[in-house]
Amino acid sequence: MTAEVQLGFYFDSSKCTGCKTCHVACKDRMVGNLRSADDVANAGVASLPGMLWRRVYEYGGGTWNKNADGSYEQNVFAYYMSIGCNHCAHPVCVKACPTGAMHKRQDNGLVLVEESLCIGCESCSRACPYDAPQIDTERKVMTKCDGCQDRLAAGKKPICVESCPLRALDFDTLENLKAKYGEGDAHIAPLPSQSITTPSLILKANIHGQPSGSGAGSVLNTPEV
């Protein structure tokens, strides 16, 4: 699904401290977009259970081994990954959608949901390896990261990018991102293999990053919703 221009994200895992500012900023914007001021005023901040368009995961593993002389050696590792929709070149969520509600814009490559066509079947969610499409259980429609289209129209970056205190995230056309950061590194766990969807994500891997699918570690946290 080739787009005229492909927008995408850059993420530097070596800078990420797991502070979750991107995660919280995204959630705040999502609530504002999907719930009216009256909803929030009457019920507090909407919980939108199960819905987080951007999530920060801690991934870790390794072992300690005792030597014959009583000393220890270890290969313990841990690092953070900020994960959202990667607006893939070959989005499996679009292929799985039976109504055409999930679609890829040809002008900028963003993958979006046309809610008027969505039947809430969750086929897109089951197909996506990044857990990007998520159902709004109250409205019975799928939702996902839209690249902060309103902010882009105003000449701004997505809220997750501008909120990051260490500038570990960036967003632009892939052409511009590659000119600024290079081709990036191979994707690391817990990201799946790039071959599945060809994600629009350039990654700088953490020095302790483990290969995708290696099973060398595990996710150590459950992102709060």
Side-chain angles (χ1 to χ4, degrees), residues 88-161:
C88 305
H90 303 292
V92 291
C93 60
V94 172
K95 294 179 182 178
C97 179
T99 67
M102 192 70 69
H103 63 285
K104 185 176 179 68
R105 286 184 54 167
Q106 291 306 300
D107 60 337
N108 60 19
L110 293 180
V111 177
L112 307 174
V113 184
E114 175 50 62
E115 292 186 355
S116 65
L117 299 176
C118 180
I119 58 176
C121 68
E122 300 188 64
S123 295
C124 56
S125 178
R126 288 189 289 271
C128 176
Y130 300 101
D131 194 29
Q134 299 172 3
I135 192 164
D136 183 336
T137 55
E138 293 183 15
R139 295 187 299 140
K140 310 299 183 189
V141 295
M142 301 307 295
T143 70
K144 64 179 294 299
C145 162
D146 63 356
C148 288
Q149 290 190 95
D150 54 332
R151 294 178 60 85
L152 296 181
K156 301 177 182 178
K157 301 266 187 179
I159 193 68
C160 60
V161 173

Side-chain angles (χ1 to χ4, degrees), residues 52-65:
L52 267 183
W53 292 351
R54 180 162 289 277
R55 304 162 303 283
V56 176
Y57 293 96
E58 182 178 6
Y59 190 81
T63 59
W64 286 81
N65 298 303

Side-chain angles (χ1 to χ4, degrees), residues 6-13 15-16 22 54 82 84-87 110 145 147 152 155-182 200-204:
Q6 180 62 62
L7 294 172
F9 284 99
Y10 167 80
F11 175 61
D12 185 344
S13 183
K15 288 183 178 180
C16 183
C22 60
R54 180 162 289 277
S82 178
C85 176
N86 293 310
H87 302 283
L110 293 180
C145 162
L152 296 181
K156 301 177 182 178
K157 301 266 187 179
I159 193 68
C160 60
V161 173
E162 292 199 346
S163 68
C164 178
L166 292 181
R167 301 295 182 258
L169 283 164
D170 201 354
F171 184 85
D172 206 329
T173 66
L174 285 186
E175 181 180 7
N176 287 345
L177 291 175
K178 288 178 181 178
K180 187 174 182 180
Y181 301 108
S200 301
L201 171 67
I202 296 175
L203 173 74
K204 180 175 180 180

